[in-house]
Amino acid sequence: MGRRLTETTSPSSSLVEANGGEFLGRTGTITTPHGTIQTPAFIAVGTKATVKAVLPESIAELGAQAVLANAYHLYLQPGPEILDAAGGLGAFMNWQGPTFTDSGGFQVMSLGSGFKKVIDMKNVDTSGPDDAVAPGKERLAHIDDDGVWFKSHLNGDKHRFSPEISMQVQHQIGADIMFAFDELTTLQNSRGYQEESLERTRLWALRCLEEHFALTASRVGKPYQALFGVIQGAQYEDLRRKACRDLGAMPFDGYGIGGALEKENLGTIVRWCNEELPEDKPRHLLGISEPDDIFTAIENGADTFDCVSPTRVARNSAFYTPFGRFNLSGAKYKKDFGPLQDGCDCYTCTNYSRAYIHHLFKAKEMVSATLISIHNERFVVKMVDDARLAIESGDFFGFKAETLGRYYS
């Protein structure tokens, strides 16, 4: 633990009332076998042991403190035994810093229901079936109390994931921080199914811990891997708090806040969780990167978070600036010889112009995605780093107002 937000600032009663409760933001340090992470921190996503289109050396240069890879994708290709033989995820991808792996649960459930990378987290509509699939798709994942059968989205081969298998896979991948296997639910699942799923995830958490401790004891000489429990419960306060109390009493090293999160209630749900979770353990919010969501998460106690968005939008020529997100494919950039963002210290902005990257994108040259991705990752990483400094200096709420006021103007 570093400094609490409430120790360095005195938020007005109107701010506290608007937030729905006390602010739980804080700074801190997470220590791993491959280095420390100063929090709050944005974790770059390297799903398949690579941040798409960006070299690991560039990710380090732009200031990212850690990289998160995906157990589901690495299990399917190249296989966890390959990473184990290489010396673990970091050695395999030539990344020297801390690493995370998520359990693969999100991908098993989302890809298995035909939604690919996106599940609707905006509309609460529980009128449909709990086993809904995307229109025109076949269900590729089938859940039971022991685990999940799923078909590979690559070749259709059938595979089994259980809490034990997820732990075995993640131990072989060798990340510093990994997540327990959980069941992803959505805002469309019924209240009854949310309750059933929450209990299944609780029991899976216990099994994950048992297997984790056994593997830790048997893999002599390997660096210790921290295990985070995953909090589910969708939009229901009682279920979220129950999940936090149940898993908070278990010997996890930290916690991931996952599942269905309505954007307008994100801060409330994160606060519910962090009011219950042990204060001396880190909390990771899975899958956010929009500036307003980041500030909301930080002030309500999230320490780290990840999202693929900075590189995903870059591949469609979108780039971040303090004044919002813009699309570089527009004709107005054809003769714009300025950087993507004035004053940005990233490699792209110090070496290349909007006009050149516009040309690369129009010419379908792959390096356009590389250059925009470097900038976008730097933009988000720096914004979170500055938010951390603002907590320490006592100017968090002023920094938030200024940053969001410009970005959404």
Side-chain angles (χ1 to χ4, degrees):
M1 280 283 294
R3 303 291 302 279
R4 294 181 179 86
L5 180 56
T6 51
E7 293 173 346
T8 62
T9 62
S10 299
S12 66
S13 57
S14 60
L15 276 177
V16 174
E17 184 179 356
N19 191 54
E22 292 295 328
F23 292 99
L24 303 177
R26 75 268 186 87
T27 64
T29 303
I30 299 172
T31 303
T32 80
H34 293 93
T36 60
I37 303 168
Q38 300 302 318
T39 67
F42 180 74
I43 310 303
V45 177
T47 301
K48 300 177 183 180
T50 176
V51 178
K52 282 191 184 297
V54 184
L55 289 171
E57 292 85 349
S58 298
I59 290 297
E61 183 180 308
L62 64 83
Q65 299 183 69
V67 169
L68 179 145
N70 181 262
Y72 167 87
H73 288 286
L74 293 177
Y75 163 78
L76 292 177
Q77 187 181 60
E81 66 282 352
I82 300 297
L83 283 91
D84 199 18
L89 173 62
F92 185 57
M93 66 180 289
N94 194 33
W95 170 257
Q96 310 303 317
T99 51
F100 291 60
T101 46
D102 59 19
S103 70
F106 177 90
Q107 284 69 28
V108 167
M109 312 306 174
S110 61
L111 292 170
S113 54
F115 287 99
K116 294 188 177 179
K117 299 173 183 174
V118 178
I119 288 183
D120 184 3
M121 294 298 184
K122 296 180 180 178
N123 303 306
V124 179
D125 180 5
T126 59
S127 61
D130 284 315
D131 59 350
V133 297
K137 298 292 184 178
E138 165 195 7
R139 175 163 288 281
L140 301 179
H142 299 273
I143 303 165
D144 55 58
D145 287 340
D146 186 60
V148 183
W149 284 107
F150 67 95
K151 290 183 180 179
S152 165
H153 71 287
L154 297 176
N155 59 16
D157 286 352
K158 194 174 184 180
H159 299 273
R160 179 70 168 172
F161 257 27
S162 66
E164 291 78 13
I165 292 172
S166 178
M167 290 296 94
Q168 292 159 17
V169 166
Q170 290 190 79
H171 269 264
Q172 286 185 298
I173 293 172
D176 296 303
I177 295 171
M178 54 190 179
F179 289 86
F181 192 61
D182 62 305
E183 181 184 357
L184 168 72
T185 60
T186 76
L187 297 173
Q188 282 72 52
N189 289 119
S190 66
R191 164 75 191 214
Y193 190 84
Q194 298 285 5
E195 294 174 354
E196 176 186 329
S197 174
L198 200 71
E199 176 62 9
R200 184 179 293 122
T201 291
R202 185 187 72 83
L203 295 174
W204 286 1
L206 292 168
R207 289 166 56 187
C208 283
L209 282 165
E210 183 176 359
E211 185 69 11
H212 168 57
F213 291 141
L215 289 167
T216 299
S218 67
R219 290 170 60 83
V220 178
K222 298 285 186 180
Y224 178 73
Q225 295 173 257
L227 178 60
F228 284 22
V230 179
I231 305 301
Q232 294 287 352
Q235 68 269 38
Y236 300 102
E237 180 177 3
D238 60 328
L239 298 186
R240 286 283 180 178
R241 290 187 183 275
K242 180 182 187 303
C244 292
R245 289 193 294 269
D246 287 344
L247 272 65
M250 299 178 191
F252 284 110
D253 300 294
Y255 297 90
I257 301 173
L261 292 166
E262 297 171 274
K263 183 179 177 73
E264 60 268 29
N265 291 328
L266 184 145
T268 299
I269 292 171
V270 171
R271 180 173 50 79
W272 290 340
C273 294
N274 291 332
E275 285 174 347
E276 302 286 348
L277 290 171
E279 192 181 32
D280 61 346
K281 294 185 178 181
R283 303 96 172 238
H284 181 89
L285 182 57
L286 293 148
I288 67 159
S289 72
E290 289 302 308
D292 57 342
D293 295 336
I294 285 175
F295 279 97
T296 297
I298 289 173
E299 66 193 18
N300 284 288
D303 300 308
T304 54
F305 23 83
D306 70 274
C307 193
V308 299
S309 185
T311 54
R312 180 183 290 169
V313 302
R315 296 193 294 278
N316 292 309
S317 86
F319 65 100
Y320 300 130
T321 79
F323 301 97
R325 195 173 86 187
F326 299 94
N327 196 305
L328 197 61
S329 62
K332 66 180 180 179
Y333 297 113
K334 190 172 183 178
K335 296 181 180 180
D336 186 341
F337 299 105
L340 293 180
Q341 176 191 328
D342 289 333
C344 178
D345 60 1
C346 80
Y347 172 81
T348 300
C349 288
T350 55
N351 290 281
Y352 297 96
S353 69
R354 292 178 174 183
Y356 178 63
I357 305 170
H358 167 87
H359 154 69
L360 293 174
F361 182 77
K362 288 298 186 180
K364 300 187 181 339
E365 292 290 345
M366 291 184 289
V367 76
S368 67
T370 297
L371 294 174
I372 302 173
S373 293
I374 287 171
H375 169 72
N376 285 354
E377 290 283 353
R378 174 57 181 161
F379 180 89
V380 179
V381 165
K382 185 177 187 302
M383 181 176 64
V384 177
D385 287 350
D386 289 344
R388 180 175 67 250
L389 295 174
I391 293 176
E392 296 281 359
S393 69
D395 190 38
F396 176 82
F397 292 106
F399 174 69
K400 172 189 173 183
E402 180 183 356
T403 301
L404 298 185
R406 276 197 315 252
Y407 190 84
Y408 294 104
S409 61

